[in-house]
Amino acid sequence: MFTSLSTFDLVWLIVGFFGQFIFFMRFIVQWIASEKEKRVVVPRVFWYLSIAGTLIILAYSVHIHDIVFITAQILSLFIYARNIMLDAKTS
């Protein structure tokens, strides 16, 4: 499956998986913070990881010309940015 990929496409595939990994790490961070506090906690780093993962996935989506993922990633960026703004106001 991957043997037919060019080096360029393989690099982009790795970028896509890396974006997914960063996006997944936000759940690990949130889980650890919640366990530490013994209640549900969404630390600010959760939103920064959301933005970082989304930007990487967006770049990958643009590369593969997937309008569904491009649209979803762009829209979610607004939500994550707004949550950071709201969190900054309460801190």
Side-chain angles (χ1 to χ4, degrees), residues 56-75:
I56 296 167
I57 294 167
L58 176 60
Y60 176 74
S61 301
V62 168
H63 170 71
I64 64 171
H65 307 287
D66 190 322
I67 191 65
V68 173
F69 282 113
I70 292 169
T71 304
Q73 300 311 314
I74 289 172
L75 293 175

Side-chain angles (χ1 to χ4, degrees), residues 25-47 49-50 87 90-91:
M25 287 306 297
R26 68 194 194 130
F27 294 114
I28 301 299
V29 166
Q30 191 270 330
W31 173 50
I32 291 169
S34 293
E35 287 294 328
K36 199 176 195 180
E37 296 286 326
K38 304 292 186 220
R39 63 184 181 86
V40 177
V41 175
V42 182
R44 189 175 295 172
V45 70
F46 176 91
W47 301 114
L49 287 169
S50 298
D87 187 48
T90 61
S91 296

Side-chain angles (χ1 to χ4, degrees), residues 2-3 5-17 63:
F2 298 115
T3 56
L5 292 176
S6 69
T7 303
F8 183 74
D9 288 335
L10 184 58
V11 168
W12 273 107
L13 186 64
I14 291 167
V15 167
F17 275 117
H63 170 71

